[in-house]
């Protein structure tokens, strides 16, 4: 089973030149046409043995051929992985934010894509004072870094989930840790200004994370809950005496 999974994973990542794909397509056509011709020939001559052999050939070969064609022609090479990464960052994450935080008055986040990294600015409007959260996402195939830029909050040189300065965030951070995130103790700072301190969470995903829609969907939806909790905690931290 492990060898079979590794073979399928290898096929999904395989990138073939045009001539190789054409050769595979020709082979598939030959096998299918051969089996179909054998079946019709046996039916016309009322040769039960030939018809049975043709049915057996098509029954055995068709699922395998369809699987190989779907995997190989899917072209899940590094370029495909780059496309999936960009799709997660620019399409899936903003959509999850809009669906989960729309009731809080969240607008579509501003997204600035930088390769496998994206910077988001999420603004909430409502009857009360507005709220803005800036966060960054770095998605490196099966590892992700999430950095929340928290303004107006001072932190010590080393920050932890139990830090006094992060008391308002403790609940949401503990939930993130339970989901597999880890907090980098060293806060990050803007390279060009002093108006923000970044808390970096990192997490290792499944090796074939980008190839599974259900894993991508779970990740972005879980991230939207994470972001929602940080916004609410940030609001409580500002209102605290």
């Amino acid at each position: 089973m492990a060898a079979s999974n590794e073979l399928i994973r290898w096929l999904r990542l395989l990138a073939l030149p045009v001539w190789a794909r054409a050769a595979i397509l020709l082979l598939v056509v030959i096998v299918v046409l051969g089996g179909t011709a054998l079946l019709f020939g046996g039916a016309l001559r009322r040769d039960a043995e030939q018809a049975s052999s043709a049915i057996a050939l098509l029954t055995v070969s068709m699922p395998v051929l369809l699987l190989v064609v779907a995997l190989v022609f899917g072209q899940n090479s590094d370029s495909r992985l780059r496309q999936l990464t960009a799709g997660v960052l620019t399409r899936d994450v903003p959509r999850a934010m809009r669906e989960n935080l729309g009731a809080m008055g969240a607008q579509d986040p501003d997204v600035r894509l930088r390769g496998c990294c994206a910077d988001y600015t999420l603004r909430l409007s409502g009857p009360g004072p507005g709220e803005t959260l800036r966060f960054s996402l770095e998605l490196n195939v099966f590892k992700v870094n999430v950095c929340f830029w928290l303004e107006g909050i001072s932190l010590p040189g080393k920050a932890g989930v139990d830090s006094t300065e992060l008391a308002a965030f403790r609940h949401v951070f503990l939930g993130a840790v339970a989901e597999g995130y880890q907090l980098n103790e060293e806060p990050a700072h803007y390279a060009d200004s002093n108006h923000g301190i970044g808390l970096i969470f990192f997490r290792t995903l499944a090796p074939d994370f980008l190839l599974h829609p259900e894993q991508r969907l779970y990740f972005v939806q879980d991230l939207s809950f994470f972001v929602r909790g940080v916004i609410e905690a940030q609001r409580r931290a500002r209102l605290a005496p």
Side-chain angles (χ1 to χ4, degrees):
M1 180 65 70
S4 176
N5 291 337
E6 286 298 318
L7 176 60
I8 291 177
R9 186 166 179 266
W10 175 76
L11 287 173
R12 297 182 77 170
L13 292 171
L14 189 61
L16 295 177
V18 177
W19 66 266
R21 283 182 281 167
I24 292 176
L25 179 60
L26 180 61
L27 179 61
V28 171
V29 171
I30 291 174
V31 173
V32 173
L33 290 181
T36 304
L38 191 64
L39 177 62
F40 277 102
L44 291 175
R45 290 194 295 270
R46 296 184 179 180
D47 187 339
E49 184 176 352
Q50 181 178 337
S52 178
S53 299
I55 292 174
L57 174 63
L58 293 174
T59 301
V60 173
S61 61
M62 283 297 291
V64 177
L65 292 175
L66 289 175
L67 176 63
V68 172
V69 169
L71 292 175
V72 173
F73 282 79
Q75 292 297 285
N76 290 303
S77 62
D78 59 341
S79 60
R80 176 59 175 161
L81 294 179
R82 292 176 189 273
Q83 294 175 1
L84 290 171
T85 300
V88 171
L89 296 176
T90 61
R91 182 189 64 247
D92 298 342
V93 170
R95 179 178 180 181
M97 300 298 160
R98 180 171 62 251
E99 292 174 347
N100 191 8
L101 284 79
M104 300 174 62
Q107 306 171 10
D108 287 348
D110 298 331
V111 184
R112 185 167 68 93
L113 184 65
R114 301 176 285 107
C116 65
C117 308
D119 300 319
Y120 302 87
T121 301
L122 185 63
R123 297 181 177 87
L124 276 69
S125 60
E131 194 76 29
T132 299
L133 177 66
R134 295 179 177 85
F135 64 97
S136 301
L137 194 63
E138 300 172 352
L139 181 56
N140 187 10
V141 185
F142 53 83
K143 181 185 177 184
V144 62
N145 296 328
V146 184
C147 182
F148 295 101
W149 301 103
L150 304 178
E151 300 181 14
I153 296 177
S154 60
L155 290 178
K158 289 184 178 290
V161 176
D162 295 324
S163 297
T164 305
E165 294 83 355
L166 296 176
F169 298 86
R170 176 177 168 79
H171 177 74
V172 63
F173 287 173
L174 286 176
V177 170
E179 283 293 329
Y181 286 95
Q182 299 181 57
L183 174 61
N184 191 330
E185 294 182 349
E186 295 289 339
H189 297 270
Y190 281 113
D192 55 353
S193 67
N194 290 324
H195 67 278
I197 295 178
L199 289 176
I200 302 176
F201 291 83
F202 58 93
R203 175 183 177 184
T204 300
L205 305 169
D208 51 358
F209 161 76
L210 289 173
L211 302 178
H212 289 279
E214 71 279 6
Q215 293 187 20
R216 301 198 303 268
L217 179 61
Y218 179 87
F219 167 73
V220 298
Q221 289 182 340
D222 180 70
L223 178 65
S224 70
F225 288 112
F226 193 5
V227 170
R228 180 172 183 167
V230 171
I231 291 177
E232 293 174 345
Q234 181 176 254
R235 185 175 292 169
R236 288 195 301 269
R238 289 182 176 176
L239 296 177

